[in-house]
Amino acid sequence: NTKEIHGALQGTQQQHTSYQNKQPTPICQAPKKLQQTLQICNSMFPETTINTTLTRIARNIKNQTAKNQHIKNCIERRYQNFQNNTSKMIKSILKKYTDPVILHNIRTHDNIITEPDEIKTAIQEHFKNWTKLNPTQTELWQEWANEYKPIQTIDSTWYDTTTTEIILTELENIIKEAPNTKATGPSKISNEMLKHLGPQAKLM
C-alpha cells in the first residue's frame, strides 16, 4: 500500500505540473494544409456531405474538449486533496469508499412516504423503536432458570491458561505454521506478511 500511495502521489504531481505548463494551440494558428483540405473536399463532395462531416468533426472536438476538461478537473481535485485533505487522497488511491444509502420512498402497511423529511423521520423512528429496551419476561423465567445455572461437571481450572500471556516463541511458531495463499479478510494482512515481521513488530 505504501508503494501504491507513493506512486500515485508522484503521478498526481507530474500530471498537475503537465497541465499547468500545457498551453492550448489557438485555432487561428491551424496549418494552411487544413484549409487546402477543406477546399479539396468542397470540390469533390456535395455541400450536405461537407456540412455533415464538419458537424461530426465539431462534435468530436467538443466531446474531446469536455473530456480533457474533466480529466484536468479530476487531477486538480486530487492535487488539492494532496495539499489540504490527505485522508481523502489516501482513500481515493486505495479505493476505500462507502456508497450512500438513498431512499426515494418508504412503504408502510397503509401508506407510501415520498417526502425527504418524512423519510428521515420514519427511519429515525424505526431504529429508535427497533433498539428499544426489551425487558425480560419474568413469567417465563422459571422454565429456563435451570438452563442458565453453572454446569457442575466443568472444571474451572480448564480455562486458567486462556489468560496466560503469549510468549514470543509461541507466537513465532504459530506464524511459521500458518498456511500461505489464504484470504486476508477485512484486515488485509496475509500470513506471508506476518512471516516477514521483524523482531520489533512481533513484540508489539
Side-chain angles (χ1 to χ4, degrees):
N1 287 345
T2 303
K3 292 182 179 180
E4 185 179 355
I5 294 174
H6 182 68
L9 295 181
Q10 286 185 337
T12 300
Q13 289 180 323
Q14 293 174 358
Q15 290 174 336
H16 183 267
T17 304
S18 174
Y19 268 95
Q20 291 290 338
N21 298 332
K22 188 176 181 180
Q23 298 294 333
T25 302
I27 297 177
C28 61
Q29 298 180 6
K32 294 183 178 180
K33 189 173 182 180
L34 177 60
Q35 298 178 2
Q36 297 174 358
T37 303
L38 291 177
Q39 292 176 357
I40 295 174
C41 290
N42 285 328
S43 62
M44 295 178 61
F45 301 99
E47 183 177 356
T48 55
T49 303
I50 297 298
N51 291 337
T52 303
T53 303
L54 293 177
T55 301
R56 184 172 64 253
I57 294 175
R59 183 172 61 250
N60 292 339
I61 293 175
K62 185 176 181 180
N63 292 339
Q64 188 63 38
T65 302
K67 182 178 179 180
N68 291 339
Q69 184 63 37
H70 177 70
I71 294 174
K72 182 178 179 180
N73 292 340
C74 291
I75 294 175
E76 183 68 26
R77 183 168 61 251
R78 174 172 284 192
Y79 182 78
Q80 292 299 328
N81 289 338
F82 173 65
Q83 293 288 333
N84 307 319
N85 194 345
T86 53
S87 61
K88 188 174 182 180
M89 175 72 177
I90 293 175
K91 288 181 180 179
S92 175
I93 294 173
L94 299 179
K95 298 180 180 179
K96 290 186 176 181
Y97 60 91
T98 303
D99 293 330
V101 178
I102 301 176
L103 299 178
H104 298 288
N105 60 74
I106 294 179
R107 179 179 296 178
T108 63
H109 64 281
D110 59 352
N111 190 18
I112 297 179
I113 303 174
T114 57
E115 292 295 330
D117 293 338
E118 295 181 5
I119 290 176
K120 292 181 180 179
T121 302
I123 293 174
Q124 292 174 355
E125 289 297 325
H126 167 75
F127 285 102
K128 182 179 179 180
N129 296 327
W130 180 63
T131 57
K132 67 180 180 180
L133 180 64
N134 187 14
T136 304
Q137 297 182 7
T138 55
E139 62 274 9
L140 300 177
W141 172 246
Q142 296 301 326
E143 298 180 13
W144 293 90
N146 292 331
E147 301 295 334
Y148 287 89
K149 289 182 179 180
I151 301 177
Q152 301 300 326
T153 56
I154 295 179
D155 188 355
S156 59
T157 59
W158 294 349
Y159 304 97
D160 290 345
T161 57
T162 57
T163 57
T164 304
E165 184 178 357
I166 300 175
I167 61 177
L168 182 59
T169 304
E170 183 180 0
L171 175 63
E172 290 177 342
N173 291 336
I174 293 175
I175 294 176
K176 183 178 180 180
E177 296 174 359
N180 296 331
T181 65
K182 294 295 182 180
T184 58
S187 66
K188 305 297 182 182
I189 300 176
S190 64
N191 293 336
E192 291 84 348
M193 296 169 63
L194 294 176
K195 291 181 180 181
H196 287 83
L197 287 177
Q200 195 67 25
K202 292 178 181 178
L203 293 176
M204 297 175 62

